[in-house]
Amino acid sequence: MFCFTTFKRYPQGVLHKLISYVKAVLPIKVSVSVLKKYKDVEGAVKIEEVNGEELVKKFAEEMEEMLGRKMKSVKSLAEAAEDADLYHEYNETLEFDYYNSMLINTVDEDGNPVPLGGEFQLEENEHFSKLAVNTQQSNIQVPTNVYNRDPDIVNGVYMSEALNDIFIDNFQKDPTLTWQYFGSSTGFFRLYPGIQWIPDENGVVTFDCRNRNWYIQAATSPKDVIIVVDVSGSMKGLRLTIAKHTINTILDTLGENDFVNIIAYSDYVRYVEPCFKGTLVQADLDNREHFKLLVEELHVKGEGKVKNAMMESFKILNEVRISFLCNQAIMLITDGAMEDFQDVFEKFNWPERRVRVFTYLIGREMTFAENVKWIACNNKGYYTHISTLADVQENVMEYLHVLSRPMVINHDHDIIWTEAYMDSVAQSLLLMTSVAMPVFSKKKETLSHGILLGVVGTDVALKELMRLAPRYKLGVHGYAYLITNNGYILSHPDLRPLYKEGKKLKPKPNYNSVDLSEVEWEDTEEKLRTAMVKGETGTLFLDVRTSVDKGTRVMFLRNDYFYTVINETPFSLGIVLSRGYGQYIFIGNVSVEEGLHDLLAPDLTIASEWTYCETDIDPAHRKLNQLQAVVRYLTGKEPDLECDVQLLQQTLFDAVVTAPMEAYWTALMLNTSGMDDGVETAFLGTRSGLMRFQSLFLSLPRSFLTSTDKENMFTLDHFPVWYRRAAEYPAGQFLYYMPRQETRGRGHTFTWQTHTHTHTHSNTHSPSQNTISALFALCVCACLLRVSLFDYQAMCKINSHSVSSARPLLSVCTINSHCIQIYSPSAHKKKGDILQPCDTEYPSFVYEPSVKETNSIIKCGRCQKMFVVQQIPDSNLLMLVSPLLFWLFLLYCTVHNASVKCDRMRSQKIRRRPESCHSFHPQENADDCGGASFISLSTSLFFTCLTFAALVS
């Protein structure tokens, strides 16, 4: 299918002239010339039905193979790191100069390299987001709060030098690898290729590899965690500040495979989020950020009585244990004053000690240290003392080492894949996933201690993974998507992880915990989601309302969904084929010589984001764009390029069939008398991603098809909006539309289409918004149907001083029957307003084609006015005549009351927990529980301490 489009400037009041011109001239000439060319090659054309079941399995197999190569690379890194440690003898006085990524290529006042700096060659590399890197050497990043000459750091860096050769070897075997790394349990981060690390505006490096999801998930099994925090009067001031920071740091060590809740206690027990009373919630990014906001509001009062809080915690954990048991833990944060509650342990946790208890003593006072330590050591946990804010990070990390012990002792090298996240290493906004694997000490003398050396991993850009599901095989409305075992989106064309705040793009607070049901919201019974989360293979169909053009237009489609699991990963793949254009694929065949001739035309481009030829394997090809790569491959200059033969075949065919367009457009430019005033640009698109573009008006201020105007381009996620809309419009009719004014700033634009598609563009002043609003309001009454659409990824303006989340919008219908959203003056962002995730329902309006003509009376006070609406034949335009012009707005609000929000946050959707679990090991040394050494308190001494605590509290 081809789509033709032109832009045209239109003076106000001559719309009928434009319509007649377009209908009478352009489509006829375009259609005749293209159809004539098509007749010449018709014998080489065939139409094949798309088999969705085979297609999704093929895509999944290719993704499994690609991800398998990444896992193989990570395994080789883990083996090399463990062997290097086995033969390394720790040296307290070891001196070793390494390349510190913060200090490389830096000199002192005398021009000499600074310590741990030195000359480190960097070269811009296309494969690594055009960053300056060193592909022959890794280097070391150390957080600001870690001493870079600490003996543990120096010994670890020296030992891990052995990874350099493995990094390079992996990259040579698999040139599609991106960043490879080793995150040490001591805090340093070895990264390949080496880069210059840029600190923040304060000169600080806050990145700590041990806080990253890939590290935490690889180091521990899934865990159910209840954080119990003392908010009695003795916790005032700095102690409360440290306690809050400790809670937030613990939350940062949790991921979407973990569950959590927070209980605060003083004279009574309270949940920091009352909505979560008596349960655990998934520790996804959304819930963790929600907890952090609530923790910030904690205040101290009363006497500290922890017994009831501990009882409540054990009850919750015992209830959830029925359905799943892996690691369970209680994190007790207190300044030490507490009453006797040994009977709680006897009733709920002894003798099995299935729940580990980790204790954090807050403040400089050590009076109750032995009490707090006794609790941890008698419940297979760990005790730490946190006296300053600087102590928090290192002390919180200790609990991860304890939870990793069973896995380390048993040498279970589980490979994990993370949820989607924004790449912070490359300073870009690409969505990534990581594959990681733990690294253990093999030394026999430390076996019972289960020493975790760190975690190795590599990143995979999800954009690159989705290239394995080519757009041209899925049709104009088709797409592929990936989800995790928890039902969260990894990749989906409707995922919008970023929002604009001022001039900056920022990740949404819940960008990586968007559920499949929030994107495929027509799956109301969640049959699709349930099957995919369970890792099943199957198919189903849905009648869907889908929005295009950034939510302003609606289309009605019948979609077939095909899905399967990607083996050896927690991911499932789905593809969507729309009935109609998605059911068949059109295959033409022409000679390479003929196709190449037309492919080299100056008006022709191909989709830059599609993979016609793989340019990322050989470094020599990385500077080629796709069209250059295709031409070099077809001319035999680069025979080693890996190219998609079927896509090239389609592209060459489309180039030949559409070749007459170049001559036709050139004739229009030369013979201005044959072209109506104001026609500026014309372009054509085909299913193979080929586009022909011609500027017919030399003073055009800028190209319509800019790199930022993604909606009108062939991208990895979707076909252009004008192409998608044209595909669903009846053949032989013309489609007009006006893109949203705020995204263009160049007047109104109309679009038309037959089996081709044409587009006009205006530089003149547009009709007044008042006039348009009045006319379209009448249309709403007369001939439009209201359709409800939902957006579960919206960001709403919420006044920071108000509990209301209302955000009124004004909506008016436009001439092509879609909805424009206009903020009322009070809805503009003011000082103190913040943006938060919210769910919205919004209207779109669809023309009722059965209404050819209608008229009615509008009463306005004492007067009445008549209006007439008539459909313009062979188009989606309506002619509306009325002397009455007025404003009519459809006001709606995005408010969801607290109970609805609570129900949604508490809801536990079906999910698939990781199969592996390592909770305990019989050889584990439970006496290693924090402090200098474990002193077993006698029962009488314990009660003496508790009595003393009661007296001073």
Side-chain angles (χ1 to χ4, degrees), residues 55 97 103 117 205 217 245 266 290 299 390 440 449 472 539 585 616 618 656 693 722 743 779 803 857 874:
L55 204 57
D97 288 332
L103 303 174
V205 176
Q217 291 180 32
H245 186 38
S266 55
H290 181 67
H299 58 276
F440 310 139
H449 295 272
Y472 78 95
T539 181
I585 191 165
D616 205 29
D618 187 338
V656 170
F693 181 89
W722 46 267
T743 61
C779 289
V803 296
I857 301 293
D874 300 327

Side-chain angles (χ1 to χ4, degrees), residues 65-66 69-70 73 125-129 133 135 166-180 192-193 458-461 464 614-622 640 642:
E65 182 182 349
M66 175 188 175
R69 293 197 299 269
K70 315 306 176 191
S73 296
N125 191 300
E126 293 278 336
H127 182 66
F128 293 94
S129 306
V133 301
T135 56
I166 312 301
F167 287 141
I168 296 170
D169 184 59
N170 283 343
F171 191 42
Q172 289 174 345
K173 290 177 180 177
D174 180 9
T176 65
L177 276 173
T178 55
W179 306 99
Q180 302 176 69
Y192 173 87
T458 186
D459 296 341
V460 179
E464 298 306 313
E614 180 57 70
T615 58
D616 205 29
I617 295 177
D618 187 338
H621 297 151
R622 286 179 183 147
D640 294 334
E642 292 184 11

Side-chain angles (χ1 to χ4, degrees), residues 222-227 251 254-263 271-292 294 316-317 320 486 488 513 901-909 911 913:
K223 44 198 174 292
D224 298 329
V225 175
I226 296 183
I227 302 171
L251 288 172
L254 304 179
E256 64 177 42
N257 289 320
D258 305 319
F259 279 74
V260 67
N261 206 337
I262 303 177
I263 293 175
Y271 289 82
V272 296
E273 172 51 87
C275 172
F276 297 159
K277 182 178 181 180
T279 190
L280 295 173
V281 295
Q282 197 166 4
D284 57 35
L285 182 61
D286 205 8
N287 284 337
R288 297 200 307 268
E289 293 302 312
H290 181 67
F291 273 128
K292 288 180 181 180
L294 297 172
I316 295 172
L317 292 174
V320 300
N486 292 301
Y488 293 150
S513 56
K901 181 179 180 181
C902 176
D903 290 342
R904 182 155 179 246
M905 293 180 74
R906 281 178 62 96
S907 66
Q908 303 291 338
K909 293 180 180 291
R911 55 194 295 275
R913 279 233 178 170

Side-chain angles (χ1 to χ4, degrees), residues 4 174 199 242 261 376 416 441 500 587 603 608 623 626 670 743 846 898 935:
F4 297 129
D174 180 9
I242 295 173
N261 206 337
I416 64 95
S441 171
K500 199 167 186 179
I587 300 175
D603 69 332
S608 61
K623 293 188 178 181
Q626 284 296 309
L670 296 175
T743 61
V846 181
I935 302 173

Side-chain angles (χ1 to χ4, degrees), residues 545-682:
R545 293 160 286 173
T546 184
S547 63
V548 294
D549 202 8
K550 299 176 182 173
T552 58
R553 296 174 176 83
V554 63
M555 291 190 300
F556 299 88
L557 303 172
R558 171 160 286 193
N559 287 342
D560 288 304
Y561 291 79
F562 304 89
Y563 51 86
T564 191
V565 70
I566 300 177
N567 295 323
E568 306 300 322
T569 77
F571 307 146
S572 289
L573 170 69
I575 65 170
V576 177
L577 300 176
S578 291
R579 296 189 183 179
Y581 288 113
Q583 290 179 276
Y584 303 94
I585 191 165
F586 183 92
I587 300 175
N589 192 17
V590 295
S591 68
V592 172
E593 292 75 15
E594 185 181 13
L596 257 177
H597 175 270
D598 293 325
L599 196 65
L600 294 172
D603 69 332
L604 187 146
T605 62
I606 56 177
S608 61
E609 291 189 6
W610 292 16
T611 304
Y612 298 80
C613 293
E614 180 57 70
T615 58
D616 205 29
I617 295 177
D618 187 338
H621 297 151
R622 286 179 183 147
K623 293 188 178 181
L624 296 175
N625 63 38
Q626 284 296 309
L627 184 56
Q628 290 169 338
V630 167
V631 172
R632 294 183 72 84
Y633 173 75
L634 293 175
T635 55
K637 293 179 180 179
E638 297 286 352
D640 294 334
L641 275 166
E642 292 184 11
C643 298
D644 187 326
V645 175
Q646 186 181 33
L647 179 55
L648 291 188
Q649 183 181 353
Q650 287 190 329
T651 306
L652 291 177
F653 178 83
D654 291 348
V656 170
V657 173
T658 61
M661 294 305 303
E662 182 189 6
Y664 171 68
W665 284 335
T666 302
L668 277 181
M669 292 180 65
L670 296 175
N671 183 17
T672 54
S673 62
M675 180 173 61
D676 189 42
D677 259 351
V679 174
E680 291 176 347
T681 55

Side-chain angles (χ1 to χ4, degrees), residues 12-235:
Q12 210 169 338
V14 296
L15 180 59
H16 64 283
K17 184 178 180 183
L18 168 66
I19 295 170
S20 61
Y21 168 75
V22 171
K23 291 173 64 176
V25 183
L26 282 180
I28 294 176
K29 291 184 177 180
V30 167
S31 298
V32 168
S33 40
V34 172
L35 286 175
K36 183 178 182 301
K37 187 67 178 179
Y38 172 74
K39 288 289 184 182
D40 296 339
V41 294
E42 187 176 14
V45 172
K46 61 179 179 178
I47 297 175
E48 294 182 356
E49 188 169 359
V50 178
N51 187 321
E53 294 181 15
E54 290 184 3
L55 204 57
V56 74
K57 289 179 182 178
K58 179 177 180 294
F59 291 165
E61 288 171 359
E62 291 176 353
M63 290 182 178
E64 180 186 342
E65 182 182 349
M66 175 188 175
L67 299 179
R69 293 197 299 269
K70 315 306 176 191
M71 290 189 281
K72 186 176 180 180
S73 296
V74 167
K75 286 179 182 177
S76 64
L77 288 172
E79 291 171 1
E82 290 183 354
D83 288 343
D85 175 73
L86 180 62
Y87 298 108
H88 171 71
E89 291 187 13
Y90 187 89
N91 183 353
E92 185 75 28
T93 61
L94 176 66
E95 293 185 5
F96 177 67
D97 288 332
Y98 59 89
Y99 287 112
N100 186 305
S101 58
M102 273 277 290
L103 303 174
I104 56 172
N105 300 330
T106 304
V107 295
D108 59 22
E109 294 177 354
D110 299 323
N112 299 316
V114 299
L116 301 183
E119 185 179 349
F120 192 80
Q121 186 174 355
L122 297 172
E123 185 177 348
E124 186 177 296
N125 191 300
E126 293 278 336
H127 182 66
F128 293 94
S129 306
K130 296 185 179 181
L131 286 176
V133 301
N134 185 330
T135 56
Q136 299 304 312
Q137 181 76 38
S138 63
N139 60 5
I140 304 296
Q141 177 267 338
V142 182
T144 299
N145 65 325
V146 176
Y147 177 44
N148 58 27
R149 290 282 195 179
D150 184 278
D152 288 345
I153 297 293
V154 176
N155 275 267
V157 170
Y158 179 81
M159 176 273 294
S160 63
E161 280 285 299
L163 294 180
N164 267 320
D165 291 340
I166 312 301
F167 287 141
I168 296 170
D169 184 59
N170 283 343
F171 191 42
Q172 289 174 345
K173 290 177 180 177
D174 180 9
T176 65
L177 276 173
T178 55
W179 306 99
Q180 302 176 69
Y181 39 81
F182 169 62
S184 167
S185 60
T186 58
F188 74 82
F189 181 57
R190 181 178 287 279
L191 179 64
Y192 173 87
I195 63 169
Q196 175 86 50
W197 200 281
I198 307 299
D200 63 21
E201 59 272 13
N202 300 314
V204 175
V205 176
T206 57
F207 177 90
D208 190 323
C209 61
R210 297 168 297 177
N211 284 339
R212 307 301 289 179
N213 276 345
W214 53 265
Y215 185 99
I216 294 162
Q217 291 180 32
T220 63
S221 298
K223 44 198 174 292
D224 298 329
V225 175
I226 296 183
I227 302 171
V228 179
V229 58
D230 184 351
V231 290
S232 62
S234 61
M235 288 285 289

